[in-house]
């Protein structure tokens, strides 16, 4: 019975590591093989071996292999940064070169505005159609999520975020705005506001949504000819007086987009 439970736990761990990082499951299997063949007097703890191999793979090996699959890491600059560096460590920061070009061009458009691009989940480094849980479409290198822009109560743009993960703290519809969220939830799409459970902690409660800053960011993105679609919740689109035909509604089957902006290539 103990052997069966051990096998089941190993399978579950393999699945979890694969779903969350793409390469973690393979690294885990490699560690199991190494520790079995390792001389007893030189044994090291599997967890230490896993962390070491995973870190080396993520920082050195994966970036070298990813271009074979048409992907590369999001290029960091003074104004393009991850909202949370766990995105990088979990290999969720890979995009097609064209999407990197879009971000860099947007950075140029924002020059002098004081606005930075803080990205969230992109894609895994390998294989189209490999799901980036919990997203429905981040599986081909063409998609990336961007954080909203916030400001202090005195109206000064800030680079701080409202949650540790970057997701889950919503800019809810006002009483006089159309409430698509309520409509989706009442229609049975229970997952629509699930990001509220993955904030990993709410922070910086003293900052507020910057309508002006977020609109400036979106308008800068829209100037890129390679942009295919941009998703944001309908009430924010109307609040910011945005009418571009590339700004679309994502549908109730996805999750609400009033905590981030989703953009994708053509």
């Amino acid at each position: 019975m103990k052997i069966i439970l051990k096998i089941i736990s190993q399978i579950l761990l393999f699945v979890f590591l694969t779903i969350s990082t793409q390469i973690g499951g393979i690294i885990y299997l490699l560690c199991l093989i190494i520790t079995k063949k390792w001389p007893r007097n030189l044994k090291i703890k599997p967890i230490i071996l896993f962390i070491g191999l995973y870190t080396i793979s993520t920082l050195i090996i994966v970036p070298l292999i990813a271009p074979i699959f048409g992907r590369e890491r999001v290029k960091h600059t003074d104004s393009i940064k991850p909202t949370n560096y766990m995105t990088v460590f979990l290999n969720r920061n890979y995009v097609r070169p064209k999407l990197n070009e879009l971000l860099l061009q947007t950075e140029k458009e924002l020059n002098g505005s004081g606005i930075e691009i803080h990205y969230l989940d992109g894609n895994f480094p390998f294989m189209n159609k490999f799901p980036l849980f919990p997203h429905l479409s981040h599986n081909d290198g063409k998609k990336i999520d961007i954080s909203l822009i916030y400001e202090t109560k005195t109206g000064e743009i800030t680079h701080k975020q409202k949650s540790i993960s970057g997701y889950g703290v919503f800019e809810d519809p006002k009483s006089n705005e159309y409430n698509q969220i309520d409509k989706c939830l009442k229609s049975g799409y229970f997952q629509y506001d699930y990001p509220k459970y993955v904030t990993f902690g709410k922070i910086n409660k003293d900052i507020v949504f910057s309508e002006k800053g977020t609109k400036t960011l979106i308008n800068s993105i829209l100037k890129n000819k390679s942009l295919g679609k941009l998703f944001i919740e309908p009430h924010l689109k109307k609040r910011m007086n945005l009418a571009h035909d590339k700004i679309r509604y994502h549908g109730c089957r996805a999750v609400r987009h009033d905590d981030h902006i989703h953009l994708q290539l053509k």
Side-chain angles (χ1 to χ4, degrees):
M1 187 64 179
K2 287 184 178 180
I3 295 176
I4 294 175
L5 290 175
K6 182 179 180 179
I7 293 173
I8 291 174
S9 65
Q10 288 176 338
I11 292 173
L12 291 175
L13 184 55
F14 170 82
V15 171
F16 171 76
L17 290 171
T18 301
I19 289 175
S20 57
T21 70
Q22 193 174 50
I23 68 167
I26 299 299
I27 301 297
Y28 173 62
L29 291 180
L30 182 60
C31 287
L32 291 179
I33 294 172
I34 292 175
T35 52
K36 283 185 178 180
K37 294 183 176 296
W38 205 282
R40 286 190 176 184
N41 60 330
L42 295 175
K43 284 283 187 181
I44 60 174
K45 292 184 177 180
I47 185 65
I48 296 176
L49 179 62
F50 174 82
I51 292 173
L53 289 178
Y54 178 85
T55 301
I56 292 171
S57 298
T58 295
L59 299 181
I60 300 174
I61 300 174
V62 172
L64 294 176
I65 301 175
I68 298 174
F69 296 84
R71 304 184 191 184
E72 61 187 19
R73 289 184 291 188
V74 175
K75 294 180 179 178
H76 294 173
T77 68
D78 289 341
S79 300
I80 301 176
K81 306 170 184 176
T83 298
N84 187 312
Y85 274 91
M86 283 304 294
T87 302
V88 177
F89 192 66
L90 296 178
N91 292 298
R92 302 166 78 93
N93 64 321
Y94 283 81
V95 295
R96 296 196 181 189
K98 199 72 175 178
L99 189 45
N100 254 332
E101 291 175 14
L102 185 154
L103 294 176
L104 291 169
Q105 182 59 41
T106 301
E107 180 188 33
K108 291 181 181 179
E109 292 288 343
L110 291 169
N111 186 37
S113 67
I115 295 171
E116 294 184 353
I117 300 170
H118 290 259
Y119 70 88
L120 300 162
D121 283 345
N123 310 260
F124 280 136
F126 313 126
M127 298 169 56
N128 286 341
K129 304 301 181 182
F130 191 100
L132 183 85
F133 184 80
H135 303 278
L136 297 178
S137 65
H138 289 232
N139 58 17
D140 57 5
K142 293 184 176 182
K143 287 92 175 183
I144 194 167
D145 290 340
I146 303 293
S147 292
L148 301 177
I149 304 300
Y150 296 94
E151 61 186 38
T152 64
K153 292 182 179 179
T154 59
E156 183 179 353
I157 294 293
T158 177
H159 303 140
K160 295 179 180 179
Q161 298 296 316
K162 298 282 284 183
S163 75
I164 292 175
S165 71
Y167 291 105
V169 178
F170 307 117
E171 179 58 26
D172 294 314
K174 296 178 181 179
S175 59
N176 63 335
E177 293 178 330
Y178 177 66
N179 195 326
Q180 180 66 53
I181 296 95
D182 192 48
K183 181 178 180 181
C184 287
L185 292 174
K186 286 183 177 179
S187 297
Y189 295 95
F190 63 90
Q191 88 296 335
Y192 199 67
D193 67 348
Y194 94 91
K196 65 186 179 184
Y197 299 115
V198 294
T199 63
F200 301 123
K202 297 180 180 180
I203 54 177
N204 301 317
K205 296 181 179 180
D206 57 327
I207 61 175
V208 296
F209 172 68
S210 175
E211 181 178 330
K212 181 179 179 181
T214 303
K215 183 176 182 178
T216 299
L217 171 61
I218 291 176
N219 280 331
S220 297
I221 294 170
L222 290 169
K223 292 180 180 180
N224 288 269
K225 294 181 179 180
S226 60
L227 178 70
K229 299 176 184 177
L230 185 150
F231 296 153
I232 196 166
E233 208 64 39
H235 67 273
L236 292 184
K237 177 182 176 181
K238 186 174 182 181
R239 188 187 302 179
M240 291 183 285
N241 194 27
L242 295 167
H244 200 285
D245 60 2
K246 288 187 178 181
I247 302 177
R248 310 285 182 82
Y249 175 58
H250 42 279
C252 287
R253 294 183 182 276
V255 296
R256 59 191 288 184
H257 282 65
D258 52 354
D259 61 340
H260 71 280
I261 304 163
H262 167 102
L263 57 97
Q264 62 189 62
L265 297 174
K266 291 180 179 178

